[in-house]
Amino acid sequence: MPKHEEKYCPKCDKIFVCKVGDIANCQCNTIILTETTQQFLAKTSFDCLCINCLQKLGNALELSNAYIFPTQKEMFVEGLHYYIENNNWVFTEMYHMLRGYCCESGCRHCVYGFKKN
């Protein structure tokens, strides 16, 4: 197994070095992931994320604790759950995070890393 591998972060497309053969010195090992973040990542199809995206994901998950998933039209908050583009609702990452699972529809802001082929 190679010690160092250049990868593209699937969330931001930036190159980073993954040290899969030396995980103790990998960039992902320099931050502490909460149990919630680890459980969330287990539900995704991401291979590796860069440290910036891991931190952003952890922050977004922490922020999501302040909100509930909207179950009725009146509960949707523009800018938080969706935005309007060409008269269509586009659901945000926060909406998908609050839903708690991936619908595997290839959503633009999928936080689970699912991409349609």
Side-chain angles (χ1 to χ4, degrees):
M1 183 178 289
K3 278 199 169 214
H4 303 345
E5 180 181 346
E6 274 194 355
K7 291 189 173 192
Y8 283 92
C9 177
K11 286 196 63 72
C12 69
D13 282 334
K14 292 199 172 144
I15 295 176
F16 68 98
V17 177
C18 176
K19 297 181 181 176
V20 70
D22 187 14
I23 198 70
N25 292 307
C26 191
Q27 54 98 37
C28 66
N29 205 27
T30 61
I31 64 170
I32 297 171
L33 298 176
T34 65
E35 182 68 28
T36 302
T37 303
Q38 290 176 39
Q39 288 172 355
F40 182 84
L41 285 169
K43 294 191 239 177
T44 72
S45 60
F46 293 125
D47 179 18
C48 291
L49 296 173
C50 72
I51 192 167
N52 290 334
C53 288
L54 282 171
Q55 288 172 328
K56 286 179 186 176
L57 178 64
N59 292 340
L61 284 164
E62 188 174 318
L63 178 65
S64 74
N65 290 327
Y67 302 100
I68 60 169
F69 182 71
T71 57
Q72 299 172 351
K73 183 179 177 182
E74 299 79 25
M75 296 172 70
F76 282 88
V77 176
E78 188 169 0
L80 176 68
H81 301 115
Y82 72 98
Y83 59 90
I84 304 291
E85 183 178 277
N86 299 321
N87 292 321
N88 295 309
W89 284 36
V90 179
F91 293 109
T92 63
E93 285 191 356
M94 183 60 71
Y95 170 85
H96 293 290
M97 191 173 284
L98 291 170
R99 182 175 53 201
Y101 65 93
C102 180
C103 65
E104 298 186 355
S105 294
C107 300
R108 180 186 303 180
H109 298 294
C110 180
V111 290
Y112 298 95
F114 181 82
K115 303 241 191 255
K116 272 191 162 179
N117 291 335

